[in-house]
Amino acid sequence: MKKRYLIIISILLTILSFWLGMKVEREFASWDEIGNPVFEKEQIYFPNKKTSLYLKSKNWGLTGDHKISVLSTKSDFEFQPDSISEYIFHGFGGIIYKVENNTLKIYSHQKPKIPPKFESEINVELIEIKNNSEWNKLNDKIKNEYQKFE
């Protein structure tokens, strides 16, 4: 009788050990993703010119506390910012934009430097928002005529 209990307990411990090992392995596998950058991309299409611009962001760090966003003519998803050919926005401020014919109006808390080799048929107009009341007014218009990229 004792031998039977020992065999049952041994089988249960083996199954439990196998299950626990699988759980630990899955947990360790998810740790590899910690600190990897998270990319986002939004295409802005201009039908008159049959061309697109792209708002892209990269968020990285152990706690996700670093962020950079760019306005680019390149459609690649994973990117490194290029100050020569892309508008670069640092931080978590968010970007509100509006398309008017062949012009892209960008509203932001920061005004990036104009890249010397931004080659596009689309005109880019940068509007720096100085205070939160202006930002909140634009936020209220997002569903109708404005879009937001965070």
Side-chain angles (χ1 to χ4, degrees):
M1 196 71 161
K2 279 186 173 183
K3 193 173 185 181
R4 180 183 252 182
Y5 286 130
L6 283 174
I7 291 172
I8 291 173
I9 290 173
S10 296
I11 291 172
L12 288 175
L13 284 175
T14 303
I15 292 171
L16 183 62
S17 296
F18 182 75
W19 177 80
L20 187 60
M22 292 296 289
K23 292 289 273 184
V24 168
E25 191 275 330
R26 283 186 188 150
E27 182 66 28
F28 285 155
S30 70
W31 286 7
D32 289 341
E33 296 175 14
I34 294 174
N36 286 345
V38 175
F39 294 93
E40 291 185 33
K41 178 176 83 169
E42 193 167 311
Q43 179 180 7
I44 307 167
Y45 183 67
F46 295 86
N48 294 344
K49 295 286 186 175
K50 294 186 174 124
T51 189
S52 293
L53 292 178
Y54 302 90
L55 280 169
K56 302 183 288 188
S57 69
K58 177 181 177 181
N59 191 346
W60 74 97
L62 283 176
T63 58
D65 57 347
H66 300 287
K67 184 171 185 178
I68 196 159
S69 300
V70 298
L71 174 66
S72 178
T73 57
K74 301 171 194 150
S75 65
D76 54 336
F77 186 64
E78 294 186 11
F79 68 96
Q80 290 296 325
D82 178 10
S83 62
I84 302 296
S85 64
E86 297 173 327
Y87 290 89
I88 300 175
F89 301 85
H90 297 275
F92 288 88
I95 296 169
I96 296 176
Y97 65 93
K98 180 180 181 182
V99 174
E100 288 183 351
N101 297 321
N102 297 327
T103 301
L104 177 63
K105 291 186 173 186
I106 295 183
Y107 301 86
S108 174
H109 287 292
Q110 56 182 289
K111 196 168 184 178
K113 293 179 184 174
I114 297 173
K117 294 189 178 178
F118 185 80
E119 297 174 0
S120 175
E121 299 176 35
I122 305 304
N123 298 318
V124 176
E125 186 178 334
L126 300 168
I127 299 128
E128 185 176 9
I129 303 297
K130 298 281 186 191
N131 59 47
N132 284 336
S133 64
E134 282 183 71
W135 188 259
N136 292 335
K137 286 178 188 176
L138 283 174
N139 259 331
D140 292 340
K141 298 178 182 179
I142 283 177
K143 291 181 180 152
N144 298 331
E145 51 192 292
Y146 294 85
Q147 302 292 320
K148 189 170 189 177
F149 181 75
E150 295 185 283

